[in-house]
Amino acid sequence: MNFQPSILFSILLSIAAPFIGMLILGFDRKITARMQNRVGPPILQPFYDVVKLFGKSELMVKKAQILFALMFVGTLLLSTVLLCFGGDLLVIFFLISTGMIFYTLGAYSVKSGFSFIGGNRELYQMLAYEPIFMLTVFSVGLITKSFRVDQIFGLEVPLVAIIPLPLVSMMIVFLIKMQKSPFDISTAHTEIISGPMIEYSGGYLALLKIAHWYEIFLVIGIMSLFFVVPGNPVLTVVSMAAAGLAIYFVSIIIDNVTARVHWNTMLRLSAAIGITLIVVNVAIVYIVAYIAGGA
Amino acid sequence: MPGMLKIIFGNLFKKRATRLYPFEKRAPFENARGSMDFAHMENCIFCNLCAKNCPPKAITVDRANKRNALDPLRCIQCGVCAEACPKKVIEMRGQYNEPCYAKRTHVAAQVVKCAQTPPEQK
Amino acid sequence: MVKSTITFGPQHPVFPEPIQFILKVVDEKVVLAEPQIGYVHRGIEKAFELNDPKDNIFLAERICGICPAPHTTAYVRGVESLMGIEAPPRAKYIRTIMNELNRIHSHILWAGLLGDAIGFESYFMQTWNYREKVLDAIEKISGHRVTYAMNAIGGVRRDMTNEQLRGLEKTMDYVESSLENIEDVMKDYTIKKRTQGIGILTEEEARRDGAVGPTARASGISQDLRTSGYDAYGDLKFEPVVVNNCDSYGRFAVRWQELKQSIDLIRQCIVKMPSGEILTKSNNPMNGEAISRVEAPRGELFYYIKGNGSKKLERVKVRTPTFANIIPTVTMLSKGCQVADVSVIVLSMDPCISCTER
Ligand code: SF4
Ligand code: SF4
């Protein structure tokens, strides 16, 4: 434990988190536009969108929706802060899941067909990515012998050198969370018109957008934990940022070369690829340790 | 998928295909029909052929006051008037119509060059 | 098992035009689909009776924003047969070229929309980029990219110079090579996953429900009005594209091959282009009844025209291909698809609602 992020750094990071997510989203839209040979919106477009939404009048179908939107943002905010302060990965994971439950409840709380199907699909998505996410957290825990984020900084080698395959599986989680093809099924705008978000408007829709910024930061943050270089703070920051951006770039590419699949295809793919990869990798780590120990 | 990969990476480094339209305009193609214009009003003989042939009846010819009027929002830019005019008064400009906030008629008055008759007041 | 009702449309991102499908769903499964049409009725058939027959060409052009060429061709061919005249050969070739260019841009547009419906945005953008070149070619010939205003009663309004023909040939080369570039989406795993086996319409069902155009040809029915040899099609060599997949992928494949067929037809037209007049003038009275049928990109387009010897027509009736294809679509939807497939199935027959409702 020769590197402890300072308190000040953690506070700054948790304040900057949504804006980092926002900037990444802005670059995403720009790069996607360039890949499609378009001009694309300004980098700050997600920010302008949210500012504009806050200026709009709100038309909510049910009061309960507001509560669920606030809870959703609240839990994500909490887990972001936990991540920035090096908290427990397991708690972070459960907080994110709770947030998604609130999001789904918000979708279910209104009487709209598209919102209802969106809620259903959100649950299917959770069914697809939660096992991968949890197993990844577990495999990190097995390696570091703890679920605390700051333990990762105390390892001898970067996590990616020991367990690279869960990172590949996490890519599936990432695609689902970022609402990218082939797994953008819950917000599929040509099928169910943004599903769970359809009955939100004005400031509360803006809240959901901000929650999405948090999500981006959280998932990229957790994935780039694999690239912590122990004992070298500067290199750690550089490699984490580079890894985060690289992961995002890969997801943009995948988004641009695939079509959206059915929810059952998604479940099958995530179970077959995601879970197998993690299990194989953990098994290899143990076998290697056994052989090394036996020899 | 590999073909698509090639295309999107190619696009990353290619000049973009879209234009920022109102700021960047493409030059119209040769003989493109665009908005119509009474370009050579001095030749007009007020024969009413253009108004008669115009499918949506967008032109009014005012022989008494020597002026022609066009309702640009009725005009479908078909170019029939330009073909029908015996004096080649009407030209198709090749540019699309500008967007507008209010419905207004374009009036083209004949300015008489000859000194005997005083110019018309609009 | 929750049964609920979803009103799919009339305003829905996947439909460029208003049509509504009332879906009864159990979880994600559609058990019943009910179409509702009539949102964009504009009374064009009545307007046909009030206008001068020669102005009606521009009206027919505005029935459909995507296929102005087949609509005007069908209309002028009907009026010509009422008058007892025929367009000169060169005019017929120019009409054929416009019709085929129209088919190319319409099919590329459709292919892009399919990509959009299944969340493949980069493919959508790319195809529409290629389509833009076709529209440019159309604008260079006719003077406008959407409303061509090329047809006139007894011929066409504009001639094509040799330079334009050569330019067209170049555009065709470009379109062909671009299509080859992007062709491998047909083999893409996710696209196959979303289209194969989705929206099955067997041959019997297609015959029973009266499917037309690519929808019928994808179900193994060899039905293409161009083989009847109207305009210049009699002089050109081609075979109707027929596949036996009977699903959305089949309709995709039919359109994709028709794109190549159209490119080939335009090349043949350029080679065989006769010289001479482009317009037969006539003042014959319009008396009696006439029907004219044209193969539009979406299928058979039918015009019935009745004149009574006066200056105006007594009745013009239009039957558009989409109208014929709505019942087959309902058949496809009612077979128990998923909500996610509704947009793919409805798109796979290439709906054009504005022209259906006129
Ligand atoms: S047809 Fe030409 S000359 Fe006759 S009124 Fe119109 S613009 Fe004037
Ligand atoms: S371009 Fe066509 S619609 Fe416009 S004024 Fe001339 S004849 Fe009328």
Side-chain angles (χ1 to χ4, degrees):
Chain A
M1 243 180 281
N2 36 20
F3 169 65
Q4 275 289 354
S6 68
I7 302 288
L8 187 67
F9 181 75
S10 297
I11 293 174
L12 280 181
L13 193 61
S14 33
I15 291 171
F19 296 100
I20 294 174
M22 185 267 289
L23 276 180
I24 290 176
L25 197 58
F27 275 108
D28 169 12
R29 292 175 68 170
K30 197 80 187 173
I31 292 172
T32 307
R34 291 299 297 130
M35 280 182 174
Q36 298 172 353
N37 225 340
R38 293 186 281 125
V39 181
I43 305 287
L44 286 183
Q45 190 61 42
F47 184 68
Y48 301 147
D49 286 350
V50 162
V51 169
K52 186 185 125 192
L53 280 175
F54 272 120
K56 296 251 167 187
S57 62
E58 278 121 19
L59 273 171
M60 301 308 281
V61 186
K62 282 245 174 81
K63 284 261 161 41
Q65 269 184 300
I66 301 172
L67 179 73
F68 290 130
L70 287 172
M71 300 287 268
F72 180 39
V73 184
T75 43
L76 286 180
L77 175 70
L78 202 60
S79 43
T80 308
V81 172
L82 267 180
L83 182 69
C84 295
F85 279 88
D88 195 323
L89 262 184
L90 212 52
V91 176
I92 294 172
F93 164 71
F94 282 123
L95 271 178
I96 296 178
S97 311
T98 321
M100 294 321 286
I101 295 287
F102 285 125
Y103 182 49
T104 316
L105 283 177
Y108 278 139
S109 66
V110 285
K111 230 181 164 174
S112 151
F114 290 119
S115 184
F116 181 78
I117 290 187
N120 266 355
R121 289 186 170 194
E122 197 62 54
L123 288 184
Y124 293 142
Q125 289 193 345
M126 286 174 70
L127 217 59
Y129 76 76
E130 298 272 274
I132 302 176
F133 207 158
M134 199 156 72
L135 283 178
T136 310
V137 171
F138 277 150
S139 54
V140 172
L142 280 175
I143 304 301
T144 57
K145 308 280 186 294
S146 152
F147 286 116
R148 291 192 61 81
V149 171
D150 41 21
Q151 290 293 320
I152 295 171
F153 293 84
L155 286 171
E156 270 123 47
V157 277
L159 267 180
V160 67
I162 316 170
I163 41 171
L165 292 186
L167 198 63
V168 181
S169 309
M170 276 299 278
M171 207 60 216
I172 295 176
V173 180
F174 190 72
L175 287 172
I176 295 176
K177 292 297 271 181
M178 293 307 108
Q179 302 156 6
K180 289 200 175 295
S181 313
F183 302 131
D184 55 340
I185 66 156
S186 89
T187 51
H189 79 116
T190 45
E191 287 163 15
I192 52 169
I193 330 179
S194 294
M197 291 194 268
I198 189 168
E199 296 297 338
Y200 284 94
S201 59
Y204 300 108
L205 184 58
L207 275 185
L208 293 190
K209 301 255 177 218
I210 293 174
H212 186 53
W213 301 351
Y214 275 115
E215 267 183 316
I216 294 177
F217 177 82
L218 271 170
V219 186
I220 288 195
I222 292 175
M223 284 178 81
S224 53
L225 280 181
F226 280 72
F227 293 89
V228 168
V229 187
N232 194 337
V234 182
L235 204 59
T236 297
V237 170
V238 172
S239 85
M240 278 175 83
L245 292 181
I247 288 166
Y248 210 95
F249 190 68
V250 171
S251 85
I252 296 176
I253 293 171
I254 296 178
D255 182 34
N256 272 310
V257 297
T258 50
R260 187 188 309 123
V261 294
H262 290 126
W263 62 269
N264 35 15
T265 318
M266 175 185 73
L267 277 182
R268 229 176 301 131
L269 279 179
S270 62
I273 302 176
I275 297 180
T276 324
L277 283 180
I278 298 178
V279 171
V280 165
N281 202 319
V282 171
I284 290 175
V285 168
Y286 270 80
I287 291 168
V288 168
Y290 179 77
I291 293 170
Chain B
M1 203 193 276
M4 212 59 219
L5 267 179
K6 215 172 85 192
I7 287 173
I8 59 170
F9 276 109
N11 283 344
L12 259 187
F13 304 105
K14 236 193 246 158
K15 202 176 154 289
R16 49 172 211 248
T18 50
R19 277 181 304 277
L20 295 168
Y21 167 61
F23 312 110
E24 259 173 71
K25 281 185 186 152
R26 183 190 65 187
F29 292 122
E30 193 192 343
N31 70 33
R33 285 175 288 129
S35 52
M36 75 80 110
D37 190 17
F38 295 101
H40 308 288
M41 256 329 258
E42 65 278 3
N43 296 340
C44 181
I45 51 170
F46 301 99
C47 63
N48 206 23
L49 272 179
C50 52
K52 207 164 138 254
N53 280 298
C54 171
K57 307 278 172 273
I59 303 179
T60 31
V61 173
D62 189 348
R63 185 194 292 261
N65 293 325
K66 292 208 183 306
R67 61 177 64 149
N68 292 348
L70 169 77
D71 182 350
L73 295 185
R74 270 193 95 83
C75 173
I76 56 170
Q77 314 185 341
C78 60
V80 169
C81 52
E83 278 169 26
C85 176
K87 291 285 173 192
K88 301 277 163 269
V89 172
I90 299 171
E91 264 178 18
M92 303 304 285
R93 276 199 295 126
Q95 278 293 349
Y96 296 120
N97 271 348
E98 299 284 322
C100 59
Y101 293 104
K103 290 187 176 182
R104 255 188 296 134
T105 0
H106 287 174
V107 181
Q110 186 170 48
V111 183
V112 184
K113 282 170 278 175
C114 176
Q116 278 95 324
T117 31
E120 297 272 336
Q121 294 297 313
K122 194 175 159 213
Chain C
M1 286 302 229
V2 195
K3 192 165 179 178
S4 50
T5 309
I6 291 184
T7 46
F8 207 80
Q11 302 298 331
H12 192 282
V14 83
F15 298 146
E17 294 161 292
I19 180 171
Q20 189 179 46
F21 282 92
I22 296 181
L23 309 172
K24 295 266 186 290
V25 297
V26 174
D27 286 343
E28 281 252 342
K29 206 166 156 29
V30 179
V31 290
L32 194 73
E34 213 181 286
Q36 304 269 325
I37 59 172
Y39 290 95
V40 278
H41 179 65
R42 290 165 287 162
I44 287 187
E45 280 184 12
K46 181 68 189 167
F48 270 119
E49 296 162 21
L50 307 176
N51 283 339
D52 194 80
K54 125 177 118 21
D55 297 350
N56 278 345
I57 302 171
F58 301 101
L59 198 58
E61 192 153 57
R62 277 155 183 80
I63 287 181
C64 180
I66 301 176
C67 29
H71 273 278
T72 49
T73 310
Y75 174 75
V76 297
R77 281 179 58 77
V79 175
E80 278 165 15
S81 72
L82 275 187
M83 286 178 156
I85 55 171
E86 214 180 315
R90 191 176 172 87
K92 285 186 171 176
Y93 270 79
I94 294 177
R95 272 184 199 170
T96 308
I97 288 182
M98 291 318 285
N99 269 300
E100 289 308 317
L101 278 175
N102 198 151
R103 192 180 319 278
I104 294 178
H105 102 73
S106 168
H107 280 357
I108 299 184
L109 172 130
W110 177 84
L113 282 181
L114 180 81
D116 184 43
I118 56 181
F120 203 155
E121 278 86 9
S122 58
Y123 164 64
F124 163 63
M125 285 290 167
Q126 201 59 35
T127 42
W128 280 44
N129 191 1
Y130 298 149
R131 172 176 174 260
E132 210 53 35
K133 293 289 178 304
V134 183
L135 290 181
D136 284 354
I138 292 173
E139 183 166 0
K140 278 177 199 158
I141 296 168
S142 72
H144 210 289
R145 44 186 267 141
V146 178
T147 46
Y148 315 150
M150 278 298 268
N151 286 329
I153 294 171
V156 290
R157 281 176 61 199
R158 285 188 180 209
D159 202 353
M160 283 176 77
T161 61
N162 284 341
E163 235 165 77
Q164 277 172 333
L165 287 175
R166 255 176 281 124
L168 187 58
E169 211 156 49
K170 272 205 205 96
T171 314
M172 286 305 111
D173 293 343
Y174 171 82
V175 174
E176 194 174 35
S177 65
S178 337
L179 289 180
E180 266 163 25
N181 264 347
I182 207 164
E183 189 159 22
D184 97 348
V185 293
M186 300 282 294
K187 298 190 222 100
D188 189 273
Y189 171 77
T190 46
I191 285 204
K192 278 189 173 172
K193 209 75 203 154
R194 288 305 301 274
T195 50
Q196 275 180 345
I198 304 291
I200 304 265
L201 186 74
T202 59
E203 186 173 344
E204 298 90 77
E205 282 164 345
R207 285 194 196 282
R208 184 194 70 200
D209 299 343
V212 295
T215 314
R217 290 198 282 278
S219 294
I221 300 176
S222 171
Q223 175 213 59
D224 190 334
L225 266 179
R226 287 177 289 173
T227 48
S228 69
Y230 65 89
D231 283 350
Y233 289 113
D235 306 347
L236 309 176
K237 268 212 270 331
F238 70 99
E239 286 286 320
V241 179
V242 181
V243 302
N244 273 318
N245 292 36
C246 303
D247 57 3
S248 303
Y249 188 77
R251 297 187 263 282
F252 191 9
V254 164
R255 293 205 171 87
W256 202 264
Q257 287 172 37
E258 279 190 7
L259 277 172
K260 295 181 178 163
Q261 185 191 43
S262 293
I263 292 173
D264 179 51
L265 283 175
I266 289 181
R267 288 200 178 127
Q268 289 187 35
C269 278
I270 294 173
V271 173
K272 291 190 179 158
M273 178 70 93
S275 54
E277 280 294 301
I278 55 162
L279 197 62
T280 319
K281 288 224 167 76
S282 160
N283 273 328
N284 295 354
M286 285 163 288
N287 216 343
E289 295 172 306
I291 60 165
S292 78
R293 296 149 81 208
V294 162
E295 182 76 15
R298 287 161 182 72
E300 174 186 334
L301 174 66
F302 171 95
Y303 267 67
Y304 164 83
I305 300 171
K306 186 175 180 200
N308 52 6
S310 71
K311 281 216 171 113
K312 292 187 175 158
L313 295 168
E314 193 175 315
R315 178 84 174 99
V316 177
K317 160 81 191 140
V318 185
R319 197 201 70 162
T320 59
T322 306
F323 182 71
N325 277 338
I326 285 182
I327 302 298
T329 311
V330 175
T331 309
M332 295 180 224
L333 284 177
S334 312
K335 285 186 179 166
C337 61
Q338 289 191 18
V339 173
D341 299 331
V342 174
S343 43
V344 176
I345 293 176
V346 176
L347 259 189
S348 76
M349 68 108 168
D350 203 356
C352 179
I353 310 304
S354 296
C355 78
T356 306
E357 294 173 359
R358 301 177 295 282

